[in-house]
Amino acid sequence: LHIKILNMSKQETKNGQQKKVVKVEDEQPEENKNKIQVSATKQSLSFYVYLSKKFLQNDSIELSGLGNAINTVVSCAEILKNSKLATVTKIETSTVQVQSGKNKQSRTISKAKIQIYLQKTKEFDAIMEKERKENPEQQ
């Protein structure tokens, strides 16, 4: 999370004490705020579904992945869609050039990339509330 401090001031509370007030601004670009970059090896599908549900509370997310992670991205989007938590608004596919090694002999290879944009449904809040009541330990 990148934030920028806009200003700092002191305000007096009702009981006469001083408190510091810091106004901050999120420096992250608008298009990257709810972006989840999926890895094929680092986390499980259930982790990405859980994370997507958390991010969807802010209305929309972008799931993206390269190469073998594409299966996880598509599966995650399908789970959210079939659970009536999100609708797919856009899908983009492309190829990107990546370095295959970290030494002097590395070469550039092309990898497939997918980006799936999801919007939360009208039923999202009700479904999530029901889920929270059924599983209070998973918060």
Side-chain angles (χ1 to χ4, degrees), residues 28-128:
Q28 205 168 0
E30 192 64 38
E31 66 272 4
N32 293 333
K33 281 189 177 185
N34 288 322
K35 182 175 184 175
I36 299 172
Q37 293 179 316
V38 176
S39 167
T41 58
K42 292 187 180 174
Q43 299 292 339
S44 66
L45 173 61
S46 60
F47 169 80
Y48 290 112
V49 171
Y50 170 81
L51 190 61
S52 296
K53 288 177 182 180
K54 291 291 185 189
F55 277 44
L56 270 171
Q57 292 173 353
N58 297 324
D59 290 329
S60 64
I61 60 170
E62 174 194 340
L63 295 173
S64 68
L66 296 176
N68 294 332
I70 289 173
N71 291 334
T72 305
V73 171
V74 172
S75 296
C76 183
E78 281 296 308
I79 289 169
L80 295 168
K81 189 178 87 170
N82 292 336
S83 301
K84 299 190 182 347
L85 293 170
T87 56
V88 176
T89 57
K90 183 167 58 168
I91 299 174
E92 295 178 356
T93 59
S94 60
T95 56
V96 294
Q97 304 299 313
V98 294
Q99 295 293 88
S100 67
K102 293 180 180 172
N103 57 22
K104 291 181 182 179
Q105 297 167 346
S106 69
R107 59 190 174 108
T108 303
I109 58 173
S110 293
K111 282 202 166 200
K113 178 180 181 179
I114 192 166
Q115 294 166 273
I116 301 179
Y117 299 85
L118 300 156
Q119 181 78 35
K120 80 176 182 179
T121 61
K122 293 176 184 169
E123 301 92 359
F124 178 86
D125 293 325
I127 293 169
M128 291 304 294

